[in-house]
Amino acid sequence: MADAKVIPFDDDRSRGGAAPRSPRRRGGPGSRRTGTAEQAPAGEVQALPVRDGGPEPREPEPEAGQDLPSPQPAAAGDGDGSGDGLEERIARGLAFLRRRLTGEYEVDDFGYDAELTDQVLMSVLRPVYEKYFRVEVKGVENIPSEGGALIVANHSGTLPLDGLMMQVAVHDHHPAGRHLRLLAADLVFVLPVVNELARKLGHTLACAEDAARLLGQGELVGVMPEGFKGLGKPFGDRYKLQRFGRGGFVSTALRAGTPIVPCSIVGAEEIYPMIGNARTLARLLGFPYFPLTPTFPWLGPLGAVPLPTKWTIQFGEPIPTDGYPPEAAEDPMLMFNLTDQVREQIQHTLYKLLVQRRSVFF
């Protein structure tokens, strides 16, 4: 594999200049079947037709002195609605499979597949989020209910599971059910399988151009400015924030006039305690680092299983940027001050959460 090239987030160079395309449908023209009669939506139960031969037959009325028949108990799942949920789920599943097979689903200009994310990918990540890491979410109400916003978080854990867990936290706990679009390093988009899954989940390249387009469309964008410096730092430096770059994320937020929401994640640092780095092997594989942990690579594939730590994700008070003039995005002193403000707020919250934590695993 070729050496991974990380495009700086604050790199404003053009990437082709192509105009944004409208959301596209995977099926070509004529992929939908049409008919002359109106068809019922999938999964909708239709009333039985009434014959035209006259009024419906009525039950014979009992004669005088005859007892009325006692009502019979309904069978399980008969008329009590217990069977309707299963039938509805089966119908939705079959309709989903039909759309996937015929290509009748939409992806946006970045490859984000909302239907696949909501119905499949989030369902895969949710048990890890709820049962394995037992993530506790705080301050999710600080994320705006509408419009663009930039969520800035610390990065750690050797593998980028913290970004995925933050994505599930926003998706499942935000009152408006918003979806987080993460900015990722270009290494993600050169790995087979990982590339396709990242695109389907709504991830895109960590560059200023893509971030500006998403914020301009009113999307919720997530960025981890530490990059590989935070993700691959030694275990002895856990919860010590690394350098936040040159403030490219602040410049992008200022241009878009969107608020910056600091996010602090506790628990990810201990899932793969990195006690060493095989730099020679990393260069041969084209990776920024090759981690050595107490279990990996000594235990083989079993050593790649993360430790079941207890996580806490806290979203802080948003920092507004719409009060600054347009030329503020070119002011290096202002960008430095805002970058430092965001970094200090995340670091202070990390320390506070660590003091409140009872145990790494509980």
Side-chain angles (χ1 to χ4, degrees), residues 6-352:
V6 180
I7 298 180
F9 179 77
D10 52 2
D11 190 353
D12 293 330
R13 63 179 182 272
S14 174
R15 299 174 57 233
R21 302 188 301 271
S22 59
R24 58 186 184 275
R25 189 176 298 278
R26 294 300 299 261
S31 59
R32 288 185 181 271
R33 296 183 179 179
T34 57
T36 55
E38 295 184 1
Q39 300 182 8
E44 182 176 346
V45 180
Q46 300 295 318
L48 294 176
V50 180
R51 296 184 179 180
D52 297 333
E56 297 182 2
R58 300 176 58 186
E59 294 287 342
E61 296 183 1
E63 298 179 359
Q66 182 179 358
D67 294 335
L68 293 174
S70 58
Q72 298 296 326
D78 183 16
D80 61 355
S82 60
D84 295 344
L86 177 60
E87 293 178 0
E88 184 179 353
R89 287 195 296 269
I90 293 175
R92 286 201 304 264
L94 292 175
F96 173 80
L97 290 176
R98 178 185 63 81
R99 289 191 296 271
R100 308 313 296 187
L101 293 174
T102 59
E104 297 179 1
Y105 59 92
E106 295 181 353
V107 297
D108 72 359
D109 205 32
F110 297 91
Y112 169 49
D113 191 331
E115 182 184 50
L116 183 67
T117 297
D118 292 339
Q119 299 192 25
V120 178
L121 300 180
M122 284 294 166
S123 299
V124 173
L125 293 173
R126 194 168 289 118
V128 180
Y129 173 92
E130 294 179 348
K131 306 299 183 182
Y132 198 78
F133 293 135
R134 293 147 292 144
V135 182
E136 180 183 0
V137 181
K138 300 180 179 181
V140 71
E141 66 278 359
N142 290 321
I143 301 175
S145 298
E146 57 184 15
L150 187 67
I151 297 182
V152 182
N154 59 305
H155 206 14
S156 62
T158 305
L159 291 181
L161 297 181
D162 50 358
L164 297 176
M165 295 301 102
M166 182 171 65
Q167 197 170 2
V168 179
V170 174
H171 182 276
D172 287 2
H173 294 278
H174 194 274
R178 303 202 65 179
H179 185 79
L180 181 63
R181 309 291 296 271
L182 289 174
L183 303 178
D186 65 330
L187 177 61
V188 172
F189 302 105
V190 299
L191 296 175
V193 182
V194 176
N195 170 34
E196 289 295 325
L197 291 176
R199 289 292 184 186
K200 296 294 185 182
L201 275 166
H203 304 177
T204 190
L205 195 64
C207 66
E209 183 186 48
D210 283 3
R213 286 179 58 189
L214 288 171
L215 290 174
Q217 295 170 9
E219 297 283 357
L220 198 61
V221 179
V223 62
M224 295 174 164
E226 291 177 282
F228 291 125
K229 298 188 302 294
L231 192 63
K233 65 176 176 286
F235 186 67
D237 293 335
R238 59 191 180 278
Y239 299 114
K240 297 178 182 178
L241 293 183
Q242 305 299 302
R243 184 173 174 267
F244 267 25
R246 294 174 293 176
F249 69 92
V250 170
S251 176
T252 303
L254 285 171
R255 288 190 176 96
T258 54
I260 300 173
V261 181
C263 176
S264 303
I265 303 175
V266 165
E269 294 274 16
E270 295 90 1
I271 60 174
Y272 294 112
M274 186 169 165
I275 58 177
N277 180 15
R279 291 184 174 84
T280 302
L281 186 57
R283 284 195 297 268
L284 291 175
L285 296 175
F287 294 155
Y289 55 87
F290 189 89
L292 302 176
T293 75
T295 58
F296 182 83
W298 330 114
L299 299 182
L302 185 61
V305 178
L307 296 178
T309 59
K310 176 73 169 62
W311 288 36
T312 301
I313 300 178
Q314 179 163 337
F315 299 95
E317 291 285 342
I319 301 173
T321 64
D322 53 356
Y324 295 96
E327 60 273 12
E330 307 298 332
D331 186 349
M333 186 57 65
L334 176 61
M335 286 192 295
F336 174 81
N337 290 335
L338 286 177
T339 302
D340 191 60
Q341 179 182 353
V342 174
R343 187 179 181 278
E344 288 299 321
Q345 187 168 338
I346 295 175
Q347 184 70 81
H348 176 74
T349 304
L350 287 175
Y351 288 149
K352 183 175 66 175

